[in-house]
Amino acid sequence: MLHRNCPSPSHDDFHSKPSFHLWISGVSKMMKMSKKEKKIFRKQVRSCKILEKHEGIKSVDEASRFLFIGNGGLVCGVQREDLMTIFNEFGPIEDIVMLPEKPYSFVVFQDVQNAEAAMLASIRGVFLQELNHSFHLSYVDKVPHHVNPYESGLLPPGLILLEDFLTEEEENLLMELDVKEEKEDDINNTVVCHRSLKHRQVKHYGFEFNYRTNNVDKDHPLKEPIPTICIQHLRRIQDITGLFPKLPDQLTVNKYLPGQGIPPHIDTHSAFEDGIISLSLGSQIVMDFQNPAGEHVPFLLPRRSALIMTGESRYSWSHGITPRKTDVVPDTDHSGQLTLMHRRTRVSLTFRVIRRGECNCGYPKQCDSQQKYKR
Ligand SMILES: O=C(O)CCC(=O)C(=O)O
Ligand SMILES: [Fe+2]
């Protein structure tokens, strides 16, 4: 089926003839363009030129499964889940390609008919009307090569993931530690310590973590130590890994609603020993790691898994969770395809061993103990 897609203005009759026509969906239906439609068309032409300049990809007249979404990129404030929500209505999506720093993205449908339906809707101007945002759609015959970030082969050294570490029953029991409504008598550090941070809710056991100083007051333990229900799991991690000669004595419970995250950080060296454990309850999430060279590694933490950061991954890579409602993760069918997953409420239990004395790790640049003596 032929569509009048995104002609280059040089051979286009757009400027020469005031009224021109558009082919739609193979139905030989000619549409006289209104002033508004012409404006959209002009923007579409502009978007296509940007596409060709940036990616060397030309729009094509023939309908295809690949849709170029001009004005639909990350720098336009469009999120993957916006595209998913909008375009999923037209049929199953195989891939969404969003490139960092670009004003466009690509939606790959499983079937060409679905792309045609989306194109037709776009011509009718139905997208993002409520957000006062218009997309400029064109067919393309390929999408830019994008490296699957999960297949880069780069992994933070020292990172250990124990999948299916907890049973569903154990997960449910541990969820009881969830950050509940704050109770008046609980919040002044006497029993346990609750805090509502901008991006998530936290609760501490054993020692309070102070987010202003990024450290703990080691001389003032909280009255409530790590709950006994956790100890069997910590012992199991001890057995499996051979690590943790001393069991963790500090626990932070983080509760993330979909859309919430934690900024990239390295847990303060002088506050905690090597070996940081994080149990994921209620939802999988992608944790972003970054090394000092600036290389990013997204790392999927499945629900009911235990993550253990040791050595280089603990001391010199930062970790964080980007605040968003979805994650792009490898498909469970191991096809190498990426798929979009909606986050649910995630409760994480982070267990750490309070450090007594200074840190003398092999990563002085990231070590507050060792930087202190340099000043
Ligand atoms: O939520 C998590 O798994 C990690 C939390 C974390 O990094 C922290 O509290 O320092
Ligand atoms: Fe952390």
Side-chain angles (χ1 to χ4, degrees):
M1 283 179 213
L2 271 185
H3 293 251
R4 178 68 177 267
N5 191 10
C6 186
S8 87
S10 54
H11 60 79
D12 176 40
D13 55 2
F14 181 69
H15 296 289
S16 51
K17 289 182 198 164
S19 82
F20 60 97
H21 301 89
L22 198 68
W23 284 95
I24 300 164
S25 295
V27 184
S28 303
K29 183 176 164 190
M30 305 287 267
M31 253 180 29
K32 225 173 185 177
M33 277 193 180
S34 67
K35 227 174 157 185
K36 195 173 156 207
E37 285 167 336
K38 282 180 199 164
K39 200 171 150 199
I40 294 174
F41 187 77
R42 239 181 268 129
K43 286 187 177 167
Q44 195 189 3
V45 170
R46 214 174 302 138
S47 286
C48 288
K49 279 181 154 182
I50 294 175
L51 171 68
E52 196 173 343
K53 193 167 160 214
H54 286 215
E55 309 292 340
I57 295 178
K58 282 189 179 160
S59 66
V60 295
D61 284 345
E62 187 91 28
S64 80
R65 298 188 300 121
F66 308 97
L67 275 187
F68 163 69
I69 321 289
N71 203 30
L74 291 166
V75 288
C76 311
V78 174
Q79 292 184 338
R80 191 171 288 275
E81 60 174 320
D82 296 330
L83 297 180
M84 192 59 164
T85 311
I86 291 164
F87 289 97
N88 212 15
E89 285 199 9
F90 302 101
I93 291 175
E94 194 177 283
D95 200 5
I96 292 178
V97 180
M98 297 191 92
L99 305 166
E101 320 272 316
K102 298 289 182 194
Y104 47 77
S105 49
F106 302 83
V107 172
V108 182
F109 282 98
Q110 281 178 14
D111 288 308
V112 66
Q113 290 90 333
N114 306 136
E116 287 180 296
M119 179 64 91
L120 188 58
S122 139
I123 292 163
R124 290 198 192 121
V126 297
F127 295 133
L128 283 186
Q129 259 169 1
E130 70 277 18
L131 298 178
N132 200 19
H133 186 108
S134 61
F135 292 142
H136 315 134
L137 267 56
S138 300
Y139 296 118
V140 283
D141 56 7
K142 58 179 177 196
V143 295
H145 175 67
H146 61 296
V147 179
N148 178 340
Y150 293 93
E151 287 177 354
S152 70
L154 185 64
L155 277 178
L159 202 61
I160 301 169
L161 181 74
L162 306 177
E163 288 194 59
D164 289 316
F165 177 71
L166 300 168
T167 63
E168 281 177 30
E169 203 185 337
E170 289 167 338
E171 178 191 36
N172 285 337
L173 288 171
L174 288 172
M175 285 283 251
E176 291 294 305
L177 300 173
D178 178 4
V179 186
K180 300 267 167 48
E181 287 298 298
E182 298 183 16
K183 278 192 236 124
E184 267 307 310
D185 59 338
D186 269 1
I187 35 181
N188 36 14
N189 292 12
T190 51
V191 186
V192 290
C193 181
H194 301 252
R195 287 272 181 269
S196 204
L197 301 179
K198 193 170 156 215
H199 302 294
R200 64 194 194 284
Q201 285 183 293
V202 297
K203 181 157 95 175
H204 302 289
Y205 293 88
F207 292 83
E208 182 188 3
F209 185 79
N210 184 327
Y211 291 94
R212 206 173 34 78
T213 60
N214 277 334
N215 218 312
V216 279
D217 184 349
K218 299 175 186 174
D219 298 327
H220 295 96
L222 296 166
K223 280 205 183 118
E224 199 170 324
I226 292 184
T228 46
I229 181 185
C230 302
I231 304 299
Q232 52 170 317
H233 303 301
L234 296 178
R235 288 212 190 288
R236 210 147 57 82
I237 289 178
Q238 225 176 10
D239 285 349
I240 296 170
T241 62
L243 302 171
F244 301 99
K246 180 175 185 296
L247 274 193
D249 47 2
Q250 196 273 339
L251 163 62
T252 298
V253 181
N254 280 293
K255 179 178 184 172
Y256 305 85
L257 302 178
Q260 295 184 323
I262 183 168
H265 64 280
I266 298 177
D267 288 42
T268 311
H269 290 201
S270 63
F272 307 111
E273 293 281 353
D274 194 6
I276 294 175
I277 299 169
S278 178
L279 301 184
S280 292
L281 315 174
S283 178
Q284 88 295 329
I285 212 154
V286 169
M287 188 171 265
D288 299 305
F289 284 85
Q290 191 179 356
N291 65 14
E295 290 169 302
H296 281 266
V297 174
F299 195 82
L300 175 64
L301 306 185
R303 183 175 174 178
R304 295 186 286 102
S305 68
L307 176 79
I308 305 145
M309 291 180 253
T310 73
E312 192 177 323
S313 66
R314 181 267 179 269
Y315 284 129
S316 85
W317 288 60
S318 71
H319 57 277
I321 294 168
T322 307
R324 59 182 178 224
K325 292 188 176 158
T326 53
D327 284 310
V328 176
V329 299
D331 217 341
T332 40
D333 64 3
H334 302 288
S335 61
Q337 288 290 341
L338 297 177
T339 182
L340 198 75
M341 282 183 82
H342 289 264
R343 288 183 186 170
R344 301 165 62 155
T345 296
R346 171 175 179 264
V347 172
S348 72
L349 308 185
T350 302
F351 298 93
R352 300 175 276 209
V353 182
I354 298 286
R355 186 187 291 281
R356 303 285 166 183
E358 297 294 354
C359 175
N360 59 358
C361 66
Y363 307 88
K365 278 200 179 139
Q366 288 80 32
C367 181
D368 60 311
S369 284
Q370 295 175 60
Q371 290 296 324
K372 199 163 66 178
Y373 299 111
K374 279 197 167 174
R375 283 189 209 124

